[in-house]
Amino acid sequence: MSNAELNELKRKYVANGAASPATAFADHAENAEVWDADGNRFIDFAGGIGVLNIGHRHPKVVAAVKAQLDKVMHTCQTVMPYEGYVRVAEKLSHLVPVRGHAKVMLANSGAEALENAVKIARAATGRANVICFDGGYHGRTFFTMAMNGKVAPYQTDFGPMPGTVFRAPYPVDYHGVSEDEALRGLMMALKTDAGPSNTAAIILEPVLGEGGFYPAPASFLKKIRDICDEHGILMIIDEVQSGFGRTGKMFAIEHSGVEPDIMTMAKSMADGMPISAVVGTDTIMDASGPNSLGGTYTGSPTACAAALAVMEVFEKENVLEKSQALGDKLAKHFNQWQARYESVANVRHMGAMAAFELVADKTTRAPNAELASALCKKAREEGLILLSCGMYGNTIRFLMPITIEDDVLNEGLDIIESCLESLV
Ligand SMILES: Cc1ncc(COP(=O)(O)O)c(C=O)c1O
């Protein structure tokens, strides 16, 4: 079917809130390139929003999934467990830097992992409240929606939100929130709203994803660790977007040396197969009763086979070194654009988790969200899939496969440069 025919089906049959605004339908893809239903080629700087750190259809993952399809596709792991689930748990237990010996539960999506992390934290502490951060993003289920530090479009049509969710400022120096102010805000939220002895967990992303690719300073993360320890609160680190090599380490929290109690992960864990995980200290993970966690599809055999193959690719194909090198290369280009264009500012990267902002000018730093959407729109017309994000909608973020070929990368960067040239 052509793009036009598929768009007609979308218009007629797909719910408004779920329908993609994009009009090109993916037909097939390889590493960092996608071809649409009409045969047009796109360079993919979005990676399905950070899901494809090792590229579309990595051959080792495709082979592992195909082999699994010939064995067993589903039993429901609570009805009859299988090797893949426990082997993924074993691998993650050794890979994820939580305190002490780690245990694991698998789920299907990032939001589901966060929901379970909160359930587990409540069971382990006997407390209800959680503190989250401005600009944070955790998903679209009811509790994760309440935890998001941004109302539109996630919460707008769906209130009221569940209570017991309180919010603190996230440190973003460039936009006037210093680390000290963020800490003061957190202490205030604890004191005036959540209550230290009623708070089960403080939940945050070590680098804001949807919120704008702002990394939290290591000192801030360490102070949160101390506050949690002082009050018996659990520290939950959400690595759904920053995990699996994006920042040049397996998990972004490793840059700080902080060991959380619980971590959540999903994107890029299985190269596009739906799976997520909650990994935490064993005593915490074991707090809830038998059959209290899980679901029909959680940790499906095919997704587990893909996740095991992904972890093997990380072990054998220097993905972390490639992430660091890709980030350095991106930053070099962004810095040139920053020097050349008044509207390109605040270049930043942690490994390949790289971004810049579009602003009215470098003095006022006023966010220019219109320019960010114009750049993404024009790039798409030129055959490049590019994403914006951020509390102010003005961050251009980069989530291309870490495995992108040099010539494809350069071609994509050239498209951005020519779009900037004509827009600013
Ligand atoms: C940090 C973070 N947490 C949670 C989620 C929710 O993941 P999912 O869309 O798989 O439910 C996302 C998705 O973008 C995310 O970036």
Side-chain angles (χ1 to χ4, degrees):
M1 284 183 123
S2 68
N3 282 327
E5 289 164 323
L6 292 166
N7 276 305
E8 189 48 28
L9 290 184
K10 179 174 75 178
R11 194 192 57 72
K12 215 163 163 184
Y13 296 114
V14 180
N16 180 47
S20 167
T23 51
F25 279 73
D27 180 72
H28 61 281
E30 194 163 337
N31 199 14
E33 293 165 282
V34 191
W35 287 262
D36 76 5
D38 294 346
N40 301 306
R41 167 186 174 258
F42 292 86
I43 295 171
D44 188 356
F45 275 14
I49 318 193
V51 171
L52 303 164
N53 284 354
I54 62 164
H56 285 276
R57 298 171 52 253
H58 190 290
K60 287 190 181 145
V61 180
V62 172
V65 171
K66 280 185 176 164
Q68 185 60 46
L69 291 176
D70 285 335
K71 292 176 79 182
V72 59
M73 282 175 70
H74 183 78
T75 58
C76 183
Q77 76 92 22
T78 54
V79 175
M80 187 171 189
Y82 35 85
E83 182 177 335
Y85 192 112
V86 290
R87 288 199 48 228
V88 170
E90 179 195 21
K91 284 257 176 205
L92 288 179
S93 168
H94 294 294
L95 211 55
V96 175
V98 295
R99 275 187 172 165
H101 176 67
K103 280 192 160 186
V104 176
M105 76 148 295
L106 300 178
N108 299 295
S109 67
E112 214 185 325
L114 268 299
E115 291 277 344
N116 280 288
V118 173
K119 281 170 67 175
I120 292 164
R122 282 185 169 183
T125 59
R127 304 171 180 182
N129 294 345
V130 299
I131 298 183
C132 305
F133 289 81
D134 295 342
Y137 180 76
H138 304 287
R140 293 173 188 263
T141 55
F142 255 102
F143 206 81
T144 58
M145 220 170 24
M147 295 201 293
N148 292 340
K150 189 174 177 215
V151 173
Y154 313 117
Q155 300 174 3
T156 310
D157 296 325
F158 306 115
M161 294 297 117
T164 70
V165 176
F166 302 91
R167 204 165 324 280
Y170 195 93
V172 182
D173 241 335
Y174 187 78
H175 290 294
V177 184
S178 68
E179 182 180 337
D180 280 350
E181 270 169 79
L183 279 170
R184 261 200 304 281
L186 173 60
M187 294 314 292
M188 209 48 114
L190 260 180
K191 197 182 167 106
T192 63
D193 278 322
S197 58
N198 297 328
T199 301
I202 295 178
I203 303 173
L204 79 162
E205 297 158 80
V207 185
L208 284 186
E210 300 305 301
F213 277 35
Y214 301 107
S219 47
F220 182 72
L221 295 167
K222 284 185 183 126
K223 282 180 191 129
I224 291 185
R225 179 69 274 180
D226 292 344
I227 293 165
C228 285
D229 287 341
E230 188 184 340
H231 298 291
I233 297 168
L234 300 183
M235 182 177 189
I236 301 179
I237 287 292
D238 180 356
E239 293 256 11
V240 166
Q241 193 153 160
S242 56
F244 283 89
R246 193 75 226 164
T247 68
K249 294 203 183 278
M250 200 60 176
F251 298 102
I253 194 72
E254 292 172 48
H255 292 277
S256 70
V258 167
E259 289 181 335
D261 300 295
I262 297 176
M263 269 172 57
T264 53
M265 60 215 63
K267 294 173 190 275
S268 280
M269 181 174 163
D271 203 24
M273 294 294 285
I275 191 167
S276 62
V278 185
V279 183
T281 308
D282 52 1
T283 46
I284 294 167
M285 293 299 289
D286 283 338
S288 72
N291 213 13
S292 56
L293 304 171
T296 307
Y297 297 104
T298 51
S300 84
T302 42
C304 285
L308 288 168
V310 166
M311 288 187 265
E312 200 183 314
V313 169
F314 270 86
E315 281 162 23
K316 298 202 170 139
E317 297 184 15
N318 301 324
V319 183
L320 301 181
E321 290 83 349
K322 284 182 189 156
S323 171
Q324 203 54 260
L326 174 60
D328 291 343
K329 184 158 186 188
L330 291 173
K332 205 170 125 208
H333 276 77
F334 301 171
N335 281 320
Q336 283 164 4
W337 297 337
Q338 182 167 248
R340 196 179 316 155
Y341 305 113
E342 182 60 17
S343 43
V344 174
N346 198 17
V347 168
R348 55 203 181 264
H349 79 112
M350 188 181 258
M353 196 156 184
F356 61 81
E357 281 181 62
L358 293 166
V359 293
D361 59 71
K362 289 191 173 78
T363 319
T364 63
R365 301 178 176 184
N368 190 342
E370 295 72 31
L371 182 56
S373 22
L375 176 61
C376 293
K377 183 167 176 283
K378 190 152 180 52
R380 187 72 75 111
E381 287 161 9
E382 303 296 324
L384 173 71
I385 304 173
L386 186 66
L387 295 178
S388 61
C389 69
M391 276 182 272
Y392 307 102
N394 70 322
T395 292
I396 302 295
R397 62 171 151 173
F398 290 78
L399 288 167
M400 70 279 279
I402 292 164
T403 50
I404 189 168
E405 300 87 350
D406 271 347
D407 56 335
V408 179
L409 174 66
N410 291 336
E411 203 185 328
L413 291 170
D414 287 348
I415 291 175
I416 297 177
E417 189 163 315
S418 78
C419 292
L420 281 172
E421 203 55 53
S422 69
L423 288 169
V424 301

